[in-house]
Amino acid sequence: GAIKRVVDEHTVIGKDLFKKETDITKFLNLKVTLNGTLQGYIEGSFGSSGQYKVRFNQEHGLPISQGKKGKGKGKKTKSKS
């Protein structure tokens, strides 16, 4: 699997480990390792496309992801000519 997004200092959203139709509840509390050293566990599913939440007991040190950028949800302004 891979990290899709960093939620906070202890939580990440993972992808590419499960198929969309996989019942992730069978894998709850499964231990995962980040960079071969930091251990965490699968906390639950995220969304409906096989993504999952991983929780670490220690801070993982990864930069926290910001909100979606460039998706057209920002406020539009008119320029005066």
Side-chain angles (χ1 to χ4, degrees):
I3 295 174
K4 178 176 182 178
R5 183 164 55 100
V6 178
V7 178
D8 60 33
E9 294 85 6
H10 295 275
T11 311
V12 299
I13 303 299
K15 64 176 187 170
D16 300 335
L17 187 61
F18 302 108
K19 293 181 180 179
K20 182 178 182 177
E21 57 273 3
T22 302
D23 180 7
I24 294 179
T25 60
K26 295 179 181 181
F27 300 95
L28 293 180
N29 298 315
L30 181 73
K31 289 182 183 178
V32 295
T33 305
L34 178 65
N35 296 330
T37 57
L38 188 61
Q39 288 192 341
Y41 60 93
I42 296 177
E43 188 175 57
S45 63
F46 183 81
S48 60
S49 60
Q51 296 174 26
Y52 51 96
K53 270 186 178 180
V54 175
R55 179 105 178 132
F56 297 96
N57 293 329
Q58 299 175 339
E59 290 187 11
H60 48 60
L62 299 170
I64 297 174
S65 302
Q66 300 300 315
K68 293 181 180 181
K69 296 179 181 178
K71 295 290 181 185
K73 296 203 176 209
K75 187 176 180 181
K76 292 184 180 181
T77 59
K78 292 183 180 180
S79 61
K80 295 181 180 180
S81 302

